[in-house]
Amino acid sequence: MGNAPIQTEAEPAGLSAEAPNPDADAGPPAVPAWMAPPSWRARLSGLAVLLGGAAVLGVGIWLSPDTAGLGTHTQLGWSPCGFEGRTGLPCATCGMTTATTLAAEGRLLDSLRVQPAGFLFALLAALACLMGGWSAWTGRSLMPVALVLVKPKTLVAIGVAVLLAWGYRLADAMLGQPWTTLS
């Protein structure tokens, strides 16, 4: 038995004096994404978001809103709404391009009146320009914003907003479109 190491109470079997201490400092604490140092990846992502929002609003400025409150998208070479053509009732997105065009021109109340979801879409495009510009300028990540937008509650809220706007458009159509036409 002369070859077996002698164990003491301070050093249990299998542990040496050089074992890592779990209470030791593991390094700097994690930094929230919005406080992370500026990065070129965040700048490029921000620039892409800025350009996407600007493209939506730029096309809106370029188009002329259709006085019927829908059909503005046909100026882009797209077909008229097939749902509306078959049923005589607007689809869930009827009037979105018109509302976005009106909002891009600064006619916010007309935009809201024509298609509330289109008005919200235009506001999101403007917000994308602001947030993307901020990210491109500062190099800060937009990931915290993206994580909020992809939450199920947010997506359900967007879906509910589109359905409510569609209900508004359907009620308007059944009453002879007194609200959503432009004068």
Side-chain angles (χ1 to χ4, degrees), residues 48-108:
V49 170
L50 167 67
L51 293 175
V56 168
L57 297 176
V59 169
I61 290 170
W62 178 65
L63 296 174
S64 298
D66 193 298
T67 57
L70 54 89
T72 301
H73 67 280
T74 58
Q75 296 172 42
L76 297 170
W78 299 348
S79 302
C81 178
F83 184 86
E84 197 261 341
R86 284 189 292 278
T87 65
L89 297 172
C91 75
T93 61
C94 274
M96 295 276 278
T97 308
T98 304
T100 302
T101 298
L102 289 165
E105 293 179 355
R107 297 171 58 187
L108 300 179

Side-chain angles (χ1 to χ4, degrees), residues 57 60-61 65 95-127 130 168 179-182:
L57 297 176
I61 290 170
M96 295 276 278
T97 308
T98 304
T100 302
T101 298
L102 289 165
E105 293 179 355
R107 297 171 58 187
L108 300 179
L109 291 178
D110 284 339
S111 173
L112 183 62
R113 184 172 50 87
V114 164
Q115 173 43 292
F119 169 76
L120 292 175
F121 178 72
L123 288 182
L124 286 175
L127 184 62
L130 292 173
Y168 167 80
W179 307 312
T180 61
T181 55
L182 300 171

